[in-house]
Amino acid sequence: MDAIQYAEANKERFLEELLDLLRIPSVSADSKFKGDVRQAAEFVKAKFEEAGVDSAELVETNGHPIVYAEKILDPKLPTVLVYGHYDVQPADPYELWDSPPFEPVIKDERIYARGACDDKGQMYMHIKAFEALVKSNELACNAKFMIEGEEEVGSDALEDFVKNNHEKLKADVILISDTAIISNEHPSITVGLRGLSYVEVEVTGPNKDLHSGVYGGAVANPINILCDMISKLQDENGRITIPGFYDKVEELTQAERDEMAKAPFDLDEYKKELDVADVKGEAGFSTRERTGIRPTLDVNGIWGGYIGEGAKTVLPSKAYAKISMRLVPHQVSEEITELFQKHFEALAPKSVKVEVRPHHGGEPAVISTDSPAYQAASKAFEKAWGKTPIPTREGGSIPIVALFQQELKLDPILMGFGLDSDAIHSPNESYGLFNFYKGIETISHFYRFFSESDS
Amino acid sequence: MDAIQYAEANKERFLEELLDLLRIPSVSADSKFKGDVRQAAEFVKAKFEEAGVDSAELVETNGHPIVYAEKILDPKLPTVLVYGHYDVQPADPYELWDSPPFEPVIKDERIYARGACDDKGQMYMHIKAFEALVKSNELACNAKFMIEGEEEVGSDALEDFVKNNHEKLKADVILISDTAIISNEHPSITVGLRGLSYVEVEVTGPNKDLHSGVYGGAVANPINILCDMISKLQDENGRITIPGFYDKVEELTQAERDEMAKAPFDLDEYKKELDVADVKGEAGFSTRERTGIRPTLDVNGIWGGYIGEGAKTVLPSKAYAKISMRLVPHQVSEEITELFQKHFEALAPKSVKVEVRPHHGGEPAVISTDSPAYQAASKAFEKAWGKTPIPTREGGSIPIVALFQQELKLDPILMGFGLDSDAIHSPNESYGLFNFYKGIETISHFYRFFSESDS
């Protein structure tokens, strides 16, 4: 039987295996899950071995291990390098989950669990597609796999691994499934990603918590000050006020914007889905443009003072926030982080002290639609979905995409199968069974078309 | 031996008893300490009985019990009613304490513990002064005691108790030790207190946490919005922007302000003590005025999004803040809370939903310096400290002071012995042994002078 039939025949097992992987709380951001992260890596390595690779290994790093596996049929054949990650975002707030994040359940044809889509579900499709090709003797090219455990915290170890292993990672394409399609009716391929700058800020007022009655009104309150400073980071038009922030931003032509506008999008549906009376963003741009081609700034977390039950009249010593900026071509993460730091420190009144601690960053990326690899991906979608995928730009960041372009001189193919409604990074993350199985099918087709292409 | 000698002879025991009381974590704001709060009430009741009252009782309420005790020598004699509270502020952040908040230690002649000054230490001086007067047969008037367990959460139960017990609480003066003196070199009596409005606000953006990459820049981020809204509550001159907020504010005459300015105050010392490069407050007013005669607004707590270790790129569904306003004569807490609510809701953009939940409030108070009671207090300080106390206005709030004025038609005497540096409501709260013992002495003198006065 062929790969498609093999996948069909084994679909129940494929799903059970994914559920087992989802039960491992591999949260890379929180050190108390370190052991679970390693367990997830071991699980992935074992599945590669069962699937029929020549070899699979755990590459040790200063952080979480990288799983590397490969099957080389013939060095002269084209080589597909697959990237994915087995780590997941923190699951809190736990109380907002309808079922425990690490006890996957199937409901209405969907898998509910942290990582169901991002990226365990999408990464696992590749292991299973590869298995189907091998077991049905349809694999017609070499395959290499690089599955990391630090994507959600900046991929520091992977960056070193890629820089130091150009030969080992030599390939003709990098295939990644960590993005979304417009909808199951409108498959799409992501050809643009935003970069990221992420900082943590600390504002210190008095050297200790004070009684707001005794000192309130005379001593700077770091929470009020932090709110003022954050408020000043954007103007009333939603423009970011950091000097130089927009200097390198790629401005699209009207023709390009018109092309983007053709992608189906229903604003009312969008608002209804999120239960918001109105959207909010940079003046002069559509919702799709705001998330696709414009840089943004969001506070991802804020805390300070008394946040327990009841009332406490404290004037706190410190207030904190985690702030991230999404970047577009050709902004540079490190430059933007520096501009932010300079500006934020300049915003601080004399009555407080400010510290800006940069977290990880990542560079934006744009991918060509002319390459044989993109064409193979497009054909694979046509074959599996009966529709030509629409090239789109996505708001999210996969920092290592730019790294692959720089270091390995390869354009990644972002063949993602998620939906925006999968709620990745949110409570009740889910992934459609349809997308899981259809993804395996599409990936199998990609291998065939790509092997046939004269890349 | 007389009362002063008795107190001197028993000072070690007095201190040990206070330390026992401080070991009981009677945090009224947090329901998980409910049992401890009751235990503290029982402790206080028992100490009144040992001190020689006619009767002592726990008055049950919907919240924490009130301890009531009295000794009536002769209904024709003047009566002193003492008010205090045995509950304390929450102790967190625990990690900032040099020693556990509920394991009192004596260091450099100071008692370190939550409640050491506010108000267990100051309240307990009254039980011991009373004991000294009784045991030395020097009590020359009637004494009533009303010690509550909800001062830190709004005194709801006490308000009902006072309203329903005018006869029982009939007295000629209310004596309260829950305030501070300028310094041990400059004793003072508080003749003004600020009122309080306290609200909790909730800003809701999308109906679930979102991926800031996928939605950031297009959907309102409730944290950014909350920061904008908080920032707009005050202008660049530190004036509160709520329409009508200042309408009823009592403006002092230049003469009154000049009188206030005579109280010793060292701004450099103040800044050094708090380790701030500059103070910050309403333009056109001194630091003392900002905390004494001007209304203020402080964020006491803020939280939202991801506040754990590492980085999470979430666009949260909700953000929260606890906000309090200090009020001055003749602002009315309930009116100010309503003005805040109206204004805050008006500040919200269409892209979010806002909820304002009022907490407890309290009214400001001004106390006359002409009364026989004030004169007796002034003489008591002169006798014990060798200096005439300076009448001052304090920034804090004791909401029930205004209640006593309204309901019992009595001017309270705020005979406090704390220092601003006692760090009440902060980690490492402390109370000087000197102040504890000197307070007992001063209170004893007060009883004598007050009994002699023709009140």
Side-chain angles (χ1 to χ4, degrees):
Chain A
M1 62 184 162
D2 68 15
I4 306 303
Q5 291 162 328
Y6 178 92
E8 178 60 30
N10 290 275
K11 62 190 294 187
E12 293 310 325
R13 174 173 59 85
F14 288 1
L15 178 58
E16 284 310 319
E17 290 173 4
L18 172 57
L19 299 187
D20 287 340
L21 176 57
L22 291 170
R23 289 187 182 98
I24 306 170
S26 50
V27 178
S28 52
D30 190 337
S31 50
K32 76 170 179 287
F33 292 104
K34 201 170 190 311
D36 302 293
V37 177
R38 171 166 294 273
Q39 193 196 336
E42 297 284 4
F43 181 98
V44 169
K45 172 173 174 287
K47 292 305 172 188
F48 272 122
E49 285 160 347
E50 293 168 24
V53 295
D54 303 334
S55 65
E57 58 178 312
L58 287 204
V59 180
E60 297 303 335
T61 72
N62 295 334
H64 303 299
I66 296 161
V67 182
Y68 178 80
E70 66 176 29
K71 185 176 186 64
I72 307 299
L73 297 178
D74 177 346
K76 289 193 276 333
L77 288 171
T79 301
V80 174
L81 171 61
V82 174
Y83 163 83
H85 64 94
Y86 63 83
D87 64 322
V88 298
Q89 278 276 314
D92 55 322
Y94 281 69
E95 66 273 17
L96 296 187
W97 285 77
D98 297 332
S99 58
F102 299 108
E103 297 172 23
V105 295
I106 310 291
K107 211 170 59 189
D108 311 327
E109 295 294 296
R110 305 189 63 75
I111 308 160
Y112 285 87
R114 166 58 81 231
C117 173
D118 177 16
D119 181 45
K120 284 175 174 173
Q122 296 217 56
M123 175 272 290
Y124 206 67
M125 297 182 309
H126 284 275
I127 304 182
K128 297 296 103 178
F130 171 78
E131 175 186 329
L133 290 162
V134 171
K135 305 295 184 187
S136 60
N137 298 307
E138 284 192 349
L139 185 68
C141 64
N142 304 312
K144 297 178 177 180
F145 301 89
M146 171 171 60
I147 314 299
E148 71 158 318
E150 299 186 328
E151 196 274 343
E152 303 294 3
V153 291
S155 305
D156 292 344
L158 187 86
E159 187 168 341
D160 298 337
F161 179 70
V162 169
K163 286 179 174 166
N164 301 328
N165 291 279
H166 287 188
E167 193 47 43
K168 182 177 198 160
L169 300 175
K170 200 166 178 316
D172 301 284
V173 63
I174 297 180
L175 190 57
I176 303 174
S177 297
D178 197 16
T179 51
I181 52 177
I182 295 170
S183 74
N184 286 347
E185 293 65 47
H186 302 92
S188 55
I189 297 176
T190 302
V191 294
L193 286 167
R194 291 196 288 189
L196 180 72
S197 285
Y198 198 113
V199 300
E200 189 163 313
V201 300
E202 175 181 323
V203 176
T204 305
N207 55 0
K208 59 176 179 292
D209 286 6
L210 301 174
H211 186 309
S212 68
V214 179
Y215 293 91
V219 177
N221 180 322
I223 302 178
N224 292 77
I225 300 286
L226 176 59
C227 289
D228 284 338
M229 294 170 74
I230 287 172
S231 176
K232 290 189 175 118
L233 292 175
Q234 279 153 311
D235 66 18
E236 64 286 348
N237 294 319
R239 296 265 306 179
I240 292 154
T241 57
I242 299 167
F245 183 84
Y246 289 97
D247 288 0
K248 295 187 174 179
V249 168
E250 174 194 57
E251 300 289 345
L252 270 63
T253 65
Q254 192 53 51
E256 291 173 296
R257 292 177 65 180
D258 295 343
E259 187 52 40
M260 271 191 75
K262 290 193 186 135
F265 178 70
D266 182 335
L267 184 59
D268 293 331
E269 198 36 57
Y270 186 82
K271 289 193 287 188
K272 196 157 146 292
E273 170 78 23
L274 301 173
D275 187 24
V276 292
D278 199 2
V279 291
K280 192 170 192 300
E282 186 180 2
F285 293 92
S286 71
T287 290
R288 274 254 181 250
E289 289 174 330
R290 287 165 173 174
T291 59
I293 61 171
R294 300 300 296 173
T296 58
L297 182 148
D298 273 288
V299 180
N300 303 109
I302 191 167
W303 68 103
Y306 182 66
I307 63 180
E309 185 187 348
K312 185 180 177 188
T313 51
V314 62
L315 193 167
S317 172
K318 290 174 181 291
Y320 308 82
K322 293 173 192 272
I323 301 173
S324 65
M325 290 154 283
R326 297 285 169 171
L327 314 179
V328 299
H330 309 281
Q331 291 178 298
V332 180
S333 173
E334 199 174 334
E335 290 175 8
I336 293 298
T337 300
E338 274 168 29
L339 291 176
F340 175 93
Q341 178 155 9
K342 242 175 80 205
H343 183 56
F344 200 74
E345 286 167 355
L347 285 176
K350 205 171 142 223
S351 49
V352 300
K353 304 178 191 71
V354 168
E355 191 184 335
V356 176
R357 289 184 287 268
H359 272 274
H360 69 284
E363 306 308 333
V366 176
I367 292 150
S368 153
T369 56
D370 308 328
S371 68
Y374 184 87
Q375 293 308 318
S378 188
K379 283 191 213 148
F381 266 104
E382 279 172 44
K383 176 91 175 170
W385 300 63
K387 286 181 178 146
T388 306
I390 303 163
T392 59
R393 290 193 176 199
E394 199 169 288
S397 308
I398 308 178
I400 36 67
V401 164
L403 178 78
F404 295 154
Q405 291 174 314
Q406 283 165 32
E407 289 294 318
L408 305 178
K409 310 285 178 259
L410 290 171
D411 249 3
I413 298 301
L414 300 174
M415 195 189 237
F417 300 94
L419 298 175
D420 284 355
S421 55
D422 290 344
I424 64 172
H425 292 210
S426 306
N428 303 313
E429 175 179 354
S430 68
Y431 191 42
L433 291 176
F434 169 85
N435 301 71
F436 179 62
Y437 293 126
K438 191 59 95 174
I440 293 170
E441 181 184 344
T442 311
I443 292 165
S444 309
H445 289 311
F446 173 82
Y447 275 84
R448 202 172 87 246
F449 289 119
F450 184 68
S451 306
E452 294 165 355
S453 72
D454 54 357
S455 62
Chain B
M1 66 185 161
D2 67 18
I4 306 302
Q5 292 162 328
Y6 179 92
E8 178 60 30
N10 290 275
K11 61 190 298 185
E12 295 310 324
R13 175 174 57 86
F14 287 1
L15 178 58
E16 284 310 319
E17 291 173 3
L18 172 58
L19 299 186
D20 287 339
L21 177 56
L22 291 170
R23 290 188 182 97
I24 306 171
S26 50
V27 179
S28 52
D30 190 337
S31 50
K32 76 170 179 285
F33 292 104
K34 200 168 190 309
D36 302 293
V37 177
R38 170 165 295 272
Q39 192 195 337
E42 297 282 5
F43 181 99
V44 169
K45 172 172 175 286
K47 292 305 172 187
F48 271 122
E49 286 161 345
E50 292 169 24
V53 295
D54 302 333
S55 66
E57 58 178 314
L58 287 204
V59 180
E60 297 303 334
T61 72
N62 294 335
H64 303 298
I66 297 162
V67 181
Y68 179 80
E70 66 176 28
K71 185 176 186 67
I72 308 300
L73 296 179
D74 176 346
K76 288 192 281 325
L77 288 172
T79 301
V80 174
L81 172 61
V82 173
Y83 164 83
H85 63 94
Y86 63 84
D87 63 323
V88 297
Q89 277 276 315
D92 54 324
Y94 281 70
E95 65 274 15
L96 296 186
W97 285 78
D98 298 333
S99 58
F102 299 109
E103 296 171 23
V105 297
I106 309 291
K107 210 170 61 189
D108 311 329
E109 295 293 297
R110 305 190 63 75
I111 309 161
Y112 286 86
R114 166 58 80 230
C117 173
D118 176 18
D119 181 48
K120 284 174 174 173
Q122 296 216 57
M123 176 271 290
Y124 206 68
M125 298 182 308
H126 283 275
I127 304 182
K128 296 297 104 177
F130 171 79
E131 175 186 329
L133 290 163
V134 171
K135 306 295 185 185
S136 59
N137 298 308
E138 285 193 348
L139 186 68
C141 65
N142 303 313
K144 297 179 177 179
F145 300 89
M146 172 171 59
I147 313 299
E148 71 159 317
E150 300 186 328
E151 196 273 343
E152 303 293 2
V153 291
S155 305
D156 291 344
L158 187 86
E159 186 168 343
D160 297 336
F161 180 70
V162 169
K163 286 179 173 167
N164 302 327
N165 292 278
H166 287 189
E167 195 47 44
K168 182 177 199 163
L169 300 174
K170 202 166 176 315
D172 301 284
V173 63
I174 296 179
L175 190 57
I176 304 174
S177 298
D178 196 17
T179 50
I181 53 177
I182 295 169
S183 73
N184 285 346
E185 294 65 47
H186 302 92
S188 54
I189 297 177
T190 302
V191 295
L193 286 168
R194 292 196 287 188
L196 181 72
S197 285
Y198 198 113
V199 299
E200 189 163 313
V201 300
E202 175 181 321
V203 176
T204 304
N207 54 0
K208 60 177 179 290
D209 286 7
L210 301 174
H211 186 311
S212 68
V214 179
Y215 293 91
V219 177
N221 180 323
I223 301 177
N224 291 76
I225 300 286
L226 175 59
C227 289
D228 285 338
M229 294 170 74
I230 287 171
S231 176
K232 290 190 176 118
L233 292 174
Q234 278 152 312
D235 67 17
E236 63 287 349
N237 294 319
R239 296 264 305 178
I240 292 154
T241 57
I242 299 167
F245 184 84
Y246 290 97
D247 288 0
K248 294 186 173 178
V249 169
E250 174 194 58
E251 300 288 345
L252 270 62
T253 64
Q254 192 53 50
E256 291 174 296
R257 292 176 65 180
D258 295 343
E259 188 51 41
M260 270 191 76
K262 290 195 186 134
F265 178 71
D266 183 334
L267 185 58
D268 293 330
E269 196 38 55
Y270 186 83
K271 289 192 286 188
K272 195 157 145 291
E273 168 80 22
L274 302 173
D275 187 24
V276 292
D278 199 1
V279 292
K280 192 170 192 299
E282 186 180 1
F285 294 91
S286 71
T287 291
R288 273 254 183 251
E289 289 174 330
R290 287 165 173 173
T291 59
I293 62 170
R294 300 300 295 172
T296 58
L297 182 149
D298 273 288
V299 180
N300 302 110
I302 191 167
W303 68 104
Y306 182 66
I307 63 181
E309 185 186 346
K312 185 180 177 189
T313 52
V314 62
L315 191 168
S317 171
K318 291 174 180 292
Y320 308 82
K322 294 173 192 272
I323 301 173
S324 65
M325 289 155 284
R326 297 286 169 172
L327 314 179
V328 299
H330 308 281
Q331 291 178 296
V332 179
S333 173
E334 200 174 331
E335 291 174 8
I336 294 298
T337 300
E338 275 167 29
L339 291 177
F340 175 93
Q341 179 154 6
K342 242 174 81 207
H343 182 57
F344 200 74
E345 287 166 353
L347 285 177
K350 206 170 143 226
S351 50
V352 299
K353 303 177 191 72
V354 168
E355 191 182 336
V356 176
R357 290 184 285 267
H359 271 274
H360 69 283
E363 307 307 333
V366 177
I367 293 151
S368 152
T369 56
D370 307 328
S371 68
Y374 184 89
Q375 292 309 316
S378 188
K379 283 191 213 146
F381 266 104
E382 279 173 44
K383 176 91 174 171
W385 299 65
K387 287 182 177 145
T388 307
I390 303 163
T392 58
R393 290 194 177 199
E394 199 167 287
S397 308
I398 308 179
I400 37 66
V401 163
L403 178 77
F404 295 154
Q405 292 174 312
Q406 284 165 30
E407 290 294 319
L408 305 178
K409 310 286 178 257
L410 291 171
D411 249 3
I413 298 300
L414 300 174
M415 196 188 237
F417 301 94
L419 298 174
D420 284 353
S421 55
D422 291 343
I424 64 173
H425 292 209
S426 304
N428 302 314
E429 174 178 356
S430 68
Y431 191 42
L433 292 176
F434 170 84
N435 301 69
F436 178 63
Y437 293 126
K438 194 57 107 175
I440 294 171
E441 181 185 343
T442 311
I443 292 165
S444 311
H445 289 311
F446 172 82
Y447 274 83
R448 204 174 84 246
F449 289 119
F450 184 69
S451 306
E452 293 166 354
S453 71
D454 55 359
S455 60

